[in-house]
Amino acid sequence: RELFEKATTVQDMITIENELRRIRTEIDSLNMSLKDIDDRASLSTISLEVQEVLPANFNITGRDSVWDRAKEGFINTVNGIVDLVENILILIISLSPILVPFAIILIIVFIKIRKNQKNKLK
């Protein structure tokens, strides 16, 4: 403003006024940037996760005895056999709509073949 009062020509006054406008615009822009940074900082969140570290357990555990492992193997084998029988039974029941008519046809064909063989022998 002191420069504005000392200006003697209109050209000097316009130059000073343009420079003042540029500086005000720059100040406003910097204030907006500062306000934006403040707003973002107020919205920021810091997450902190703390976990207690447990001490390592270096104790060596002994293996099961031979009899315990044999018992477990026997039980697994028996369970496998039971599962196999169950699965076969389920398969037979599931296929019964196909197996029953097929079995009837086979029985009829078998009876016809036996009758034909008996007739040939006579």
Side-chain angles (χ1 to χ4, degrees):
R1 293 186 186 250
E2 290 175 11
L3 288 175
F4 194 71
E5 291 174 5
K6 291 180 182 178
T8 55
T9 64
V10 176
Q11 183 63 30
D12 290 341
M13 294 172 101
I14 292 174
T15 305
I16 292 171
E17 184 130 346
N18 286 339
E19 191 63 26
L20 284 174
R21 189 178 312 119
R22 186 188 65 78
I23 291 173
R24 282 188 194 123
T25 305
E26 192 174 327
I27 289 172
D28 288 342
S29 174
L30 291 173
N31 281 335
M32 292 293 286
S33 295
L34 185 59
K35 184 177 181 207
D36 186 46
I37 291 171
D38 285 341
D39 288 344
R40 288 184 187 192
S42 68
L43 295 176
S44 64
T45 304
I46 295 176
S47 297
L48 181 63
E49 184 176 326
V50 178
Q51 290 183 347
E52 181 180 354
V53 178
L54 299 175
N57 186 4
F58 291 108
N59 294 337
I60 299 174
T61 58
R63 293 179 60 185
D64 292 336
S65 70
V66 172
W67 294 113
D68 289 337
R69 294 190 340 233
K71 180 178 83 171
E72 187 176 328
F74 179 77
I75 291 171
N76 289 338
T77 302
V78 171
N79 286 338
I81 292 170
V82 169
D83 288 343
L84 178 67
V85 171
E86 286 176 354
N87 289 335
I88 290 173
L89 183 63
I90 290 171
L91 180 66
I92 291 171
I93 292 171
S94 299
L95 293 177
S96 65
I98 297 171
L99 291 178
V100 170
F102 185 71
I104 292 172
I105 292 171
L106 280 178
I107 291 172
I108 292 172
V109 169
F110 182 72
I111 291 173
K112 293 271 185 183
I113 291 174
R114 286 193 90 195
K115 282 186 181 179
N116 285 340
Q117 286 178 349
K118 284 184 183 179
N119 287 338
K120 284 184 184 179
L121 289 177
K122 288 184 182 182

